């Protein structure tokens, strides 16, 4: 459990909302179970699941090397659990099995958790859907950068909305929104700073992508680079959903080297100077 969830639990117990908290806890558990079951179906190795008041975060070993389509299906599996739970709660209320007020509470809780998680802010489910979608139009380093930027902007907007009440006479701060917005902002601030290290992890799992794409009979996509450009510039051109052949050009537009991406990646990972020209890296 994330410390934020523990704080919410403590506050709920102190204010006498234990039953509502326990219901929220069960909804979050089922929400995360949706992610885990679909991830296990695809054969993912899950390190841990962190429970948060608005959902959870499943951490996997080889994020970035997994197919974007699978990533999207795993992400949407959580909110889909909120759909059937909300419909079931509504049905129980209509049949008289639950009190109308309790049925309405469970429906509202599922709607809140499901819709909130679809916001395009990392690491919410919507943020992972955003990242999976960007993987089809940008190289992976840019995907991570844009995911962090969009998430920082939207979480900043969330914080601003939580403070709007201060502009009205007698208004106040929406504390829940402020806490969650601040948590998401700090998470993405850390994520943005960690992108160079996360990218190294992405490179270390590229062999899995190459094997998968070759088994599917997918043709290699060309990456054309000037031999004088740095090695770090070259590897940052890799796409998540493709594997590549590097065409290293000399002056006069002649091809000096043609190398599969794994050779470039392996040389780069062993290189002490990431700014070394790519043509020297392949000698």
């Amino acid at each position: 459990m994330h410390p934020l969830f523990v704080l919410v639990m403590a506050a709920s117990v102190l204010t006498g909302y234990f039953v509502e908290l326990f219901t929220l806890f069960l909804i979050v558990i089922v929400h995360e179970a949706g992610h885990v079951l679909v991830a296990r179906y695809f054969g993912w190795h899950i390190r841990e699941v962190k429970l948060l008041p608005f959902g959870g975060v499943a951490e996997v070993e080889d994020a970035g090397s997994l197919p974007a389509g699978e990533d999207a299906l795993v992400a949407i599996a959580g909110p889909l659990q909120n759909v059937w739970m909300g419909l079931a709660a509504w049905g129980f209320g209509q049949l008289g099995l639950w009190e109308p007020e309790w049925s309405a509470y469970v429906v509202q809780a599922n709607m809140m958790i499901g819709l909130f998680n679809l916001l395009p802010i990392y690491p919410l489910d919507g943020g992972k859907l955003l990242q999976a979608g960007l993987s089809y139009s940008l190289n992976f380093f840019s995907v991570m950068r844009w995911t962090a930027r969009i998430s920082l902007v939207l979480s900043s907007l969330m914080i601003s909305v939580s403070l709007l009440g201060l502009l009205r006479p007698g208004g106040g701060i929406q504390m829940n929104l402020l806490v969650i917005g601040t948590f998401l902002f700090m998470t993405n601030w850390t994520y943005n700073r960690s992108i160079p290290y996360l990218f190294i992890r992405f490179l270390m799992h590229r062999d899995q992508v190459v094997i998968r794409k070759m088994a599917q009979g997918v043709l290699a996509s060309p990456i054309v680079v000037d031999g004088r450009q740095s090695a770090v510039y070259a590897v940052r051109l890799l796409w998540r959903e493709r594997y590549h052949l590097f065409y290293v050009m000399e002056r006069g537009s002649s091809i000096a080297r043609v190398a599969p991406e794994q050779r470039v990646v392996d040389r780069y990972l062993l290189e002490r100077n990431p700014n070394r020209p790519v043509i020297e890296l392949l000698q």
Side-chain angles (χ1 to χ4, degrees), residues 160-266:
S160 300
V161 170
S162 73
L163 300 174
L164 285 178
L166 295 176
L167 302 177
R168 299 191 301 268
I173 299 173
Q174 298 182 51
M175 189 56 66
N176 289 342
L177 193 61
L178 177 61
V179 170
I180 293 174
T182 302
F183 167 77
L184 291 173
F185 182 87
M186 296 305 299
T187 298
N188 282 284
W189 183 267
T190 303
Y191 174 74
N192 189 51
R193 295 185 62 184
S194 303
I195 283 175
Y197 307 102
L198 295 173
F199 187 70
I200 292 296
R201 189 176 71 173
F202 165 76
L203 294 178
M204 293 175 67
H205 291 95
R206 282 300 293 177
D207 55 335
Q208 300 176 22
V209 177
V210 174
I211 292 171
R212 185 171 67 245
K213 293 298 182 182
M214 292 182 68
Q216 295 171 354
V218 177
L219 295 176
S221 299
I223 292 180
V224 180
V225 293
D226 188 321
R228 295 168 294 178
Q229 291 175 312
S230 66
V232 67
Y233 170 84
V235 296
R236 286 181 178 181
L237 297 175
L238 292 169
W239 288 51
R240 176 181 182 176
E241 286 299 303
R242 304 178 186 177
Y243 79 100
H244 305 274
L245 283 177
F246 279 87
Y247 291 82
V248 183
M249 311 299 291
E250 286 184 324
R251 293 180 181 178
S253 301
S254 61
I255 299 175
R257 296 282 190 281
V258 179
E261 72 164 69
Q262 201 55 44
R263 183 184 174 194
V264 177
V265 170
D266 289 344

Side-chain angles (χ1 to χ4, degrees), residues 10-78:
S12 298
V13 171
L14 291 174
T15 55
Y17 286 95
F18 180 76
V19 175
E20 288 81 358
L21 168 70
F22 185 71
T23 303
L24 181 66
F25 178 78
L26 289 178
I27 291 173
V28 170
I29 287 288
V30 176
H31 177 105
E32 280 308 302
H35 293 309
V36 172
L37 289 173
V38 177
R40 295 293 292 174
Y41 173 79
F42 288 128
W44 292 16
H45 179 66
I46 302 170
R47 284 193 302 189
E48 67 174 3
V49 177
K50 285 183 180 177
L51 295 181
L52 296 155
F54 47 81
V57 178
E59 295 187 6
V60 296
E61 286 287 349
D62 44 2
S65 65
L66 300 167
E70 291 184 8
D71 209 357
L73 290 174
V74 171
I76 200 64

